[in-house]
Amino acid sequence: MEQTALKKGDVIELTVTDFADKDRCFGRLDCGISVMVTGMLAPGDRVKALIRKVKQRYIDASAVEVTMSSPDRVEPVCSYFGVCGGCKLMHISYEAQLRYKRKKVIDDLVHIGGFTDPPVHPVLPARHSCHYRNKVELSCSSIRYLMPEELSQEELSRSRDFGLGFHAPGNYEKVIDIDYCYLANEPMNSAVRLTREFALANRLAPYAVKAHAGFLRNLVLRTSEYTGRLMVNIVTSWHDRELMARYADMLVAALPDQDLTVVNNVTTKKNTVATGEQEFVVYGEGALTERLGELDFRVSANSFFQTNSSQAAVLYAEILKVAGIRPDDTVYDLYCGTGTITLYLARHCRMAAGLEVVESSLSDAAKNADLNGITNAVFFQTDLKDFHAMLQKLENYDAPGVIVTDPPRAGMHPKALETMLKLGARTIVYVSCNPSNLARDGKEISRYGYRLVSVQPVDMFPHTVHVESVACFERIDHY
């Protein structure tokens, strides 16, 4: 069949061979024409798909039927799979997920970075593939997303006007009313159920995004793997002291054996971001303590902290392993956030300097240094794009022997990358949550006289498409 003979609305049949971007999969027709197909598919699936667009280089289609299942397919345990956008790979065996994630890292390094046979190790698996998140953020909306089976029902078992859960993919207004999340632990799921019951019993108005009205906006749950404490952070449009006291009393009574703290963040902003301009500690200490390796970290309601505690320890151990830190080294940690990596490495070098632009994160970093009695770590607020400003901040410290950079998902700004490379460290450890940007930035690092020595993917988020990588670059003249 020629591509010119195909048109929108035709049904085609193909075998899926790989994952692609934007939640799509890739395959070819028997005649060789490339197809990008959407749907909850797995490489190895044979599918019928409906053509949406015929483009010059490929066909855009959506799956309508899986006629033969991939051997990697498993039955998802979650009833919201395919509707909630959180666990896009739950229909694929965990062993296969790890293979696919490694392949993604390799493919991006080859096709985007131009690396030949990149030294990518097998992915380090998570200890637990479910119930691993230490933070879950839910939204409350006045428009509940109807599940597919509800669309044909004349009477609904729950109100259309209240939803507490996760936004449907691509929809900022509607919320899927979640009863249970397999990425959260049991105390978190209990808190979701109890909060919904309390909100409905007390007729708390859910937030309406377009009208910018309503009381209950978000529920953010955090837990410590180290202590077991649960933090319940209820985000509202205003503070009602008496109501929040009753809410906390309800949680304490319903969870009598649970170490618990309750906080109320209040925001008046016209957005769905689950942080407040004010915070009220309603019950307990208002913070958690988490342990990574031999270090303790205080985590408040709005602090950034790795959302998989056990895998964060694996990740940091890998950073230390490949960095080759010497006792007399000065180590720079770029995008240091609350200083977790800086402090983890400080015990192995003469001086560790954490660099960050967000002032509140640096305040948490300094507190964490004090908490652990670490005196050879310093933190500076600086714009990494400004080389001269950075040098002024660090003029009293030695040039770095090792640089660790853990940039946001978008990767490093070109000027920040240039600044880092001017520092001339013998080793650069690039920690990436986005393989394509690791490949892009890694290509530039290599142009400046560095060699890619190793890449160790770490699975921080089972059942999702995300993969963390620790890439080690060594300056060639140090070989």
Side-chain angles (χ1 to χ4, degrees), residues 78-293:
C78 182
S79 61
Y80 304 105
F81 175 78
V83 180
C84 167
C87 297
K88 297 182 186 297
L89 301 183
M90 192 175 265
H91 62 305
I92 296 172
S93 72
Y94 188 51
E95 294 76 13
Q97 291 181 33
L98 298 177
R99 294 200 310 270
Y100 296 146
K101 290 183 180 188
R102 179 174 185 259
K103 184 178 184 299
K104 167 66 173 171
V105 176
I106 293 172
D107 287 349
D108 284 353
L109 286 169
V110 171
H111 298 303
I112 298 174
F115 293 93
T116 302
D117 193 22
V120 181
H121 300 301
V123 181
L124 295 177
R127 184 189 306 172
H128 306 290
S129 62
C130 288
H131 309 298
Y132 61 80
R133 289 190 65 96
N134 60 36
K135 180 183 178 184
V136 177
E137 183 177 305
L138 301 97
S139 298
C140 192
S141 174
S142 61
I143 307 176
R144 183 173 68 83
Y145 183 90
L146 298 185
M147 298 293 287
E149 62 272 16
E150 292 183 292
L151 298 176
S152 59
Q153 296 176 2
E154 293 185 7
E155 293 187 14
L156 300 177
S157 60
R158 51 179 88 188
S159 170
R160 292 173 176 263
D161 303 327
F162 184 95
L164 178 62
F166 304 123
H167 284 280
N171 193 318
Y172 72 96
E173 274 193 290
K174 296 181 180 180
V175 163
I176 306 163
D177 204 37
I178 297 290
D179 289 320
Y180 192 91
C181 176
Y182 279 87
L183 301 190
N185 65 15
E186 294 300 331
M188 287 174 162
N189 280 303
S190 295
V192 175
R193 173 179 55 81
L194 293 166
T195 301
R196 178 184 291 106
E197 292 173 359
F198 182 86
L200 294 174
N202 289 272
R203 299 182 181 276
L204 303 186
Y207 185 62
V209 176
K210 287 186 176 179
H212 185 48
F215 175 73
L216 184 55
R217 298 173 69 124
N218 298 92
L219 179 66
V220 184
L221 304 168
R222 306 187 82 144
T223 188
S224 166
E225 192 172 289
Y226 174 52
T227 67
R229 177 176 292 172
L230 172 67
M231 177 192 291
V232 178
N233 174 19
I234 187 166
V235 183
T236 59
S237 296
W238 62 89
H239 180 59
D240 184 326
R241 183 177 178 181
E242 186 272 335
L243 179 70
M244 289 297 103
R246 285 197 289 114
Y247 174 62
D249 288 344
M250 178 275 300
L251 290 172
V252 171
L255 303 170
D257 299 323
Q258 177 64 51
D259 185 2
L260 182 69
T261 185
V262 181
V263 299
N264 175 208
N265 266 245
V266 175
T267 180
T268 58
K269 292 183 178 179
K270 294 182 178 181
N271 60 34
T272 57
V273 178
T275 56
E277 298 118 51
Q278 288 182 288
E279 181 173 305
F280 299 87
V281 177
V282 182
Y283 177 84
E285 188 180 343
L288 306 174
T289 299
E290 187 59 287
R291 174 162 287 187
L292 293 179

Side-chain angles (χ1 to χ4, degrees), residues 231-362:
M231 177 192 291
V232 178
N233 174 19
I234 187 166
V235 183
T236 59
S237 296
W238 62 89
H239 180 59
D240 184 326
R241 183 177 178 181
E242 186 272 335
L243 179 70
M244 289 297 103
R246 285 197 289 114
Y247 174 62
D249 288 344
M250 178 275 300
L251 290 172
V252 171
L255 303 170
D257 299 323
Q258 177 64 51
D259 185 2
L260 182 69
T261 185
V262 181
V263 299
N264 175 208
N265 266 245
V266 175
T267 180
T268 58
K269 292 183 178 179
K270 294 182 178 181
N271 60 34
T272 57
V273 178
T275 56
E277 298 118 51
Q278 288 182 288
E279 181 173 305
F280 299 87
V281 177
V282 182
Y283 177 84
E285 188 180 343
L288 306 174
T289 299
E290 187 59 287
R291 174 162 287 187
L292 293 179
E294 298 176 358
L295 299 179
D296 292 337
F297 295 92
R298 181 181 170 86
V299 183
S300 57
N302 296 316
S303 296
F304 170 78
F305 196 80
Q306 291 282 358
T307 50
N308 186 336
S309 298
S310 60
Q311 281 301 91
V314 172
L315 181 74
Y316 293 177
E318 186 61 30
I319 294 169
L320 178 63
K321 174 183 170 183
V322 301
I325 296 172
R326 302 168 185 170
D328 61 345
D329 270 337
T330 294
V331 176
Y332 286 6
D333 177 18
L334 312 187
Y335 307 94
C336 71
T338 56
T340 50
I341 294 176
T342 317
L343 299 175
Y344 194 92
L345 301 180
R347 297 169 301 160
H348 304 275
C349 62
R350 187 169 61 84
M351 176 63 67
L355 308 175
E356 172 62 57
V357 72
V358 180
E359 186 176 2
S360 59
S361 293
L362 291 172

Side-chain angles (χ1 to χ4, degrees), residues 361-438:
S361 293
L362 291 172
S363 174
D364 286 341
K367 292 174 184 176
N368 285 326
D370 290 340
L371 179 64
N372 290 282
I374 294 176
T375 58
N376 66 326
V378 291
F379 298 96
F380 296 100
Q381 183 180 14
T382 185
D383 186 345
L384 298 177
K385 299 190 294 290
D386 190 335
F387 179 70
H388 296 292
M390 183 188 291
L391 287 185
Q392 288 178 353
K393 295 270 187 178
L394 296 162
E395 62 182 354
N396 295 324
Y397 300 92
D398 292 338
V402 175
I403 292 176
V404 177
T405 180
D406 186 6
R409 185 162 182 79
M412 296 187 72
H413 187 282
K415 287 187 176 179
L417 184 60
E418 181 182 355
T419 295
M420 178 182 74
L421 292 168
K422 284 180 179 178
L423 294 169
R426 72 172 183 276
T427 303
I428 294 174
V429 180
Y430 192 119
V431 184
S432 169
C433 60
N434 187 332
S436 61
N437 287 329
L438 166 62

